[in-house]
């Protein structure tokens, strides 16, 4: 899929204030600093569309970006950021939770996982929350430029094993990405293109 246009629409912390057009929407979530905003920039080929930072906690709101005039990419705050106060964390959590529970346009969520780490409880817990609420999602293993392919494959296998040993019937669809090396772009955009087609043919929901 070619990205012909990508524009920032609105930032807010209330689901009720999110755009009301009924077009398919894809959210990016994961731990702070995992590379959500960088991946949005890499996918759209716009370096400064989403704000990135080496300091965790950069994205603090729900950010809608309209792509090719017919779908949204949504950049969200990260979870698991130790330095924010307890009350800020609670506020974050409650509006993120509401977003996922209420946003009907959300056709797929990408859960970003740092490919350098073995399975983390916070990520598996979040995916369980999505599954319990019947929210479709895929995993994206990020920052693959930082590790040798063999080590990445080993970490993904560890994830598979630990999730299948738990109460997961299947391992979710997953992608690997490097925003620095621009890897994963074609596969992720192709997937989005397919889901968009399903949406516009009325095959979803
Ligand atoms: P929050 O908004 O704070 O939750 O973070 P985020 O998940 O949006 O991460 P962001 O995209 O801001 O990137 C965090 C840091 O990781 C930045 O310093 C990026 O340059 C770096 N980074 C992101 N993606 C990659 C990648 O694929 N490879 C490498 N080497 N660094 C990356
Ligand atoms: Mg961010």
């Amino acid at each position: 899929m070619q990205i012909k246009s990508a524009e920032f629409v609105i930032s807010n912390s209330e689901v009720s204030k999110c755009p009301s057009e009924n077009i398919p929407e894809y959210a990016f979530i994961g731990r702070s600093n995992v590379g959500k905003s960088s991946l949005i920039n890499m996918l759209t080929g716009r370096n400064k569309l989403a704000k990135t930072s080496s300091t965790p906690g950069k994205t603090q709101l729900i950010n809608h970006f309209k792509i090719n005039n017919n779908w949204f990419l949504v950049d969200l705050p990260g979870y698991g950021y130790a330095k924010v106060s307890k009350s800020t964390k609670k506020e974050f959590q409650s509006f993120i939770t509401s977003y996922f529970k209420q946003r009907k346009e959300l056709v797929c969520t990408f859960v970003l996982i740092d490919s350098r780490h073995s399975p983390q409880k916070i990520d598996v817990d979040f995916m369980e929350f999505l599954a319990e609420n019947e929210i479709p999602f895929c995993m994206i293993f990020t920052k693959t430029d930082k590790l040798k392919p063999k080590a990445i494959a080993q970490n993904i296998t560890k994830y598979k094993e630990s999730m299948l040993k738990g109460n997961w019937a299947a391992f979710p669809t997953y992608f690997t990405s490097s925003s620095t090396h621009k890897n994963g772009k074609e596969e992720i955009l192709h997937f989005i293109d397919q889901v968009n087609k399903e949406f516009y043919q009325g095959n979803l929901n």
Side-chain angles (χ1 to χ4, degrees), residues 32-38 53 57-59 143 145-146 179-180:
S32 275
N33 213 242
V34 70
K36 302 175 291 294
S37 305
S38 303
S53 167
K58 179 69 180 174
T59 310
K143 305 194 184 182
D145 55 286
K146 293 208 172 200
S179 298
T180 316

Side-chain angles (χ1 to χ4, degrees), residues 28 31-38 40 50-53 55-61 63 75-78:
F28 288 68
R31 294 178 88 118
S32 275
N33 213 242
V34 70
K36 302 175 291 294
S37 305
S38 303
I40 287 177
K51 291 193 181 106
T52 66
S53 167
T55 312
K58 179 69 180 174
T59 310
Q60 303 226 346
L61 296 165
N63 299 284
D75 194 14
L76 294 168

Side-chain angles (χ1 to χ4, degrees), residues 113 117-121 123-124 155 158-160 162-163:
I113 311 264
H117 302 149
S118 48
Q120 306 280 309
K121 186 175 184 301
D123 294 317
V124 178
N155 280 345
K158 276 189 215 156
Y159 248 103
K160 252 185 215 169
S162 87
M163 283 172 73

Side-chain angles (χ1 to χ4, degrees), residues 149-159:
K150 200 172 168 189
I152 296 163
Q154 277 170 351
N155 280 345
I156 296 175
T157 302
K158 276 189 215 156
Y159 248 103

